[in-house]
Amino acid sequence: MNNKPNFKSVIEVEKDNHRLWNEIFHSQNILIPIEKDDQDKIISLFVLDKHNFPVGGQKNLNEITGAPFTTELANVKVYFCPILPAMQRNYEKTLYMLAESIDRCDSSTHSGDTSIWAVKIAEHMGLNKDEVKKIKKAAELHDIGKAVVPRELLVKPGPLSDEEWEIIRRHPGYSATLMEPVQSLREIQPLVRSHHEHYIGDGYPDGLRGEEIPLGARIISVADAFSTMISRRIYRTPISKKRAVDELVRCKGTQFDPKIVDHMLAVLEAQH
């Protein structure tokens, strides 16, 4: 099932259409202001349907992106349009800061560590510099969707219920959606969205299998799992690299692309 939040690309409201304004303010949408012109006549919005967001998700997202849409903007014409390059760069920087803040949530450096391992794997595979750069960026941003997940689930020390797991499993889709306003990040959205897909097809969010899963996502999947296993998190203690390697080998061909696991093992062997 596709749990990606609905991204509404166009919304236009005349300032004197009070019925539509009232509908928007009381809708199931999260409206994030992005751009306003120099005459305060036009504003662009990043619009998300919040129906599928878990309890607490809207609050977390508003804290990250700033104040939600307010009545102060009710006298301007509203529609979605491409945001300026400078604003895209600022938004992209905000996403990287968001990734760092999520890591701080459980006192880890997980996103950075995942990126380091993903780059090592990609380089060992002989991928070109552009592909390695894309994989690096995707790995750094792969967990930003956790900003929409209630913090208590991210740091819960005990096992999660089925309902809680369902919320956690939405984060790859949230991550990809948060990247939507930035043109330069769209080519790596599939890598971010698919980093929890499994090689045999029982992963999430889309149930992709084998080479249906983007190569970069398959690389990040291995790097992410290894980084998670050997890192100390608030909710659990790390395991040794040897045990982590054993787990990668155990899951070759099921959770992970076996060729990528082999490259990861070669990377680790080269460090000794």
Side-chain angles (χ1 to χ4, degrees), residues 241-260:
K241 283 188 177 181
K242 183 182 183 307
R243 286 183 59 196
V245 165
D246 291 343
E247 187 66 13
L248 292 181
V249 171
R250 186 182 70 83
C251 295
K252 280 179 62 174
T254 54
Q255 182 173 346
F256 307 121
D257 181 332
K259 293 180 181 178
I260 293 173

Side-chain angles (χ1 to χ4, degrees), residues 118-127 132 262-267 270:
V119 166
K120 289 179 183 293
I121 295 169
E123 290 177 340
H124 191 270
M125 295 175 67
L127 301 186
V132 173
D262 288 341
H263 282 286
M264 180 64 176
L265 299 182
V267 166

Side-chain angles (χ1 to χ4, degrees), residues 223-249:
D224 179 31
F226 187 76
S227 170
T228 298
M229 288 187 284
I230 67 171
S231 301
R232 181 174 297 279
R233 314 293 281 272
I234 285 178
Y235 52 88
R236 63 162 185 76
T237 57
I239 64 176
S240 68
K241 283 188 177 181
K242 183 182 183 307
R243 286 183 59 196
V245 165
D246 291 343
E247 187 66 13
L248 292 181
V249 171

Side-chain angles (χ1 to χ4, degrees), residues 61-73:
L61 191 60
N62 287 341
E63 288 174 348
I64 292 157
T65 57
F69 194 73
T70 67
T71 54
E72 296 172 1
L73 302 174

